[in-house]
Amino acid sequence: MALLCGSAVRTGRGGSGGDVHGGGDAVRTAGLPARCRLVRSLRALVVGDAFGAAVDAVPRTEGRTLPPGRWEWTDDSEMAYSIAGELAEHHHVEQDSLVRRFAERHDARRGYGRGTTDLLRRIRGGAHWRLAASESFGGRGSWGNGAAMRVAPLGAWFASDPGATTSQAALSAEVTHSHAEAIAVAAATAAVSGPDTEPAEFLGEVATVVRGGPVRDRILRTGRMTGEPANAVAAAVGNGAETRALDTVPFAIWCAATHLADFREAMWTAASVGGDRDTICAMVGGIIGNTAEIPERWWAHCEPPPPWTILP
Ligand SMILES: [Mg+2]
């Protein structure tokens, strides 16, 4: 599918040079077709994932030197490709179809958690996802990152419909994971309307959609920390070191909220606190993919998409 999705309206704000993928500076997303928003979010998620994983492989990030060589994307991207493919084909989430994509495309070398790998192998072997998920996670759904790390493109697709964003995010999560954090990431992506939104306002809007629970509490907490350094925010709400979504999602949304128009700054900030870098950078990229441009050099480092993706 050849889509020219980089040609959104430039604002002249954000970005920091001419080496951007798809055209320059920050962009406004209002009026972009859903497919364009989907592709832009997915593309930025993949670059974020691959960047975070590459930074993880380099001992030090001082000086902000880009990691050398080819950056390989991980499970975050592989699952996000499936979400995007599902929406491109059906325009909504059909759970049986989505989980079949996850299972058929699962590559254990991409860094999946053991629970998800076991679950997808069982589904590939013929088990129904509802039974397999309940047996794998005691009926609660996994608290890991899987549902939240892959869902941003869904938020981009349904950006004009908050009700559909939350209900479809929940459906996409249910096949493998519990819901609340995935809804938060999808809601954050859907809430991005332009690069000029004030961070506290943005975080408050996202918290409104995520009703109750600890993830909402942590997002609200980050809304009171918009001027503070990243390590202080990560110390307050987590950096993914606990490998569960509650520990990654609030910080990722804060990074996105405070750098909606600047891909580089968002990524280096997200990667600066250690923890689960590929997942946090994937979430941040997916959220800001429609307001911040990917630098061309970053895109060039990134491993190409698999042949079955919708990315051109
Ligand atoms: Mg990963």
Side-chain angles (χ1 to χ4, degrees):
M1 181 178 66
L3 278 174
L4 298 175
C5 292
S7 54
V9 179
R10 298 184 195 185
T11 67
R13 191 188 135 174
S16 51
D19 59 335
V20 292
H21 183 70
D25 304 327
V27 294
R28 291 194 183 280
T29 59
L32 277 184
R35 273 179 182 266
C36 264
R37 296 196 305 265
L38 178 80
V39 167
R40 291 181 59 94
S41 173
L42 175 61
R43 193 186 275 150
L45 182 155
V46 171
V47 176
D49 174 26
F51 166 74
V55 169
D56 243 353
V58 176
R60 289 149 45 106
T61 57
E62 284 88 346
R64 296 192 170 188
T65 302
L66 290 181
R70 188 172 86 155
W71 305 342
E72 297 195 343
W73 38 263
T74 75
D75 52 340
D76 311 63
S77 297
E78 191 162 83
M79 297 192 101
Y81 283 134
S82 289
I83 293 233
E86 178 69 14
L87 293 172
E89 182 174 346
H90 295 134
H91 296 188
H92 63 274
V93 171
E94 293 186 8
Q95 288 180 304
D96 291 348
S97 168
L98 178 61
V99 79
R100 194 162 50 244
R101 292 175 198 265
F102 289 154
E104 289 173 353
R105 294 165 179 175
H106 168 258
D107 179 350
R109 296 168 299 179
R110 294 286 180 182
Y112 287 81
R114 200 169 74 182
T116 301
T117 287
D118 290 345
L119 173 65
L120 294 178
R121 281 181 174 153
R122 288 195 61 200
I123 292 168
R124 204 161 54 236
H128 191 276
W129 61 265
R130 201 176 288 279
L131 176 64
S134 69
E135 290 178 352
S136 296
F137 300 112
R140 294 176 287 106
S142 168
W143 291 348
N145 287 302
M149 71 192 190
R150 68 193 183 214
V151 79
L154 181 150
W157 176 271
F158 290 110
S160 59
D161 187 340
T165 300
T166 53
S167 62
Q168 292 287 309
L171 288 174
S172 78
E174 188 182 24
V175 296
T176 55
H177 288 73
S178 56
H179 307 164
E181 292 84 2
I183 289 173
V185 173
T189 310
V192 174
S193 57
D196 303 323
T197 310
E198 287 298 320
E201 178 188 338
F202 180 84
L203 290 162
E205 186 176 342
V206 175
T208 302
V209 177
V210 184
R211 297 193 189 97
V215 66
R216 179 174 185 268
D217 294 341
R218 291 194 187 190
I219 292 168
L220 287 171
R221 189 169 181 186
T222 67
R224 298 189 291 273
M225 302 182 75
T226 54
E228 299 197 25
N231 55 7
V233 179
V237 300
N239 69 349
E242 298 177 9
T243 59
R244 60 186 184 133
L246 179 60
D247 195 45
T248 55
V249 166
F251 178 69
I253 295 176
W254 176 87
C255 285
T258 51
H259 301 97
L260 284 171
D262 191 332
F263 191 87
R264 285 186 189 83
E265 195 61 35
M267 287 297 143
W268 284 116
T269 301
S272 69
V273 299
D276 195 343
R277 284 189 172 115
D278 60 294
T279 289
I280 290 178
C281 289
M283 292 179 191
V284 174
I287 294 169
I288 68 172
N290 276 289
T291 44
E293 295 289 3
I294 303 166
E296 191 68 63
R297 280 181 60 210
W298 293 48
W299 181 252
H301 272 287
C302 191
E303 176 187 5
W308 37 262
T309 184
I310 66 163
L311 275 183

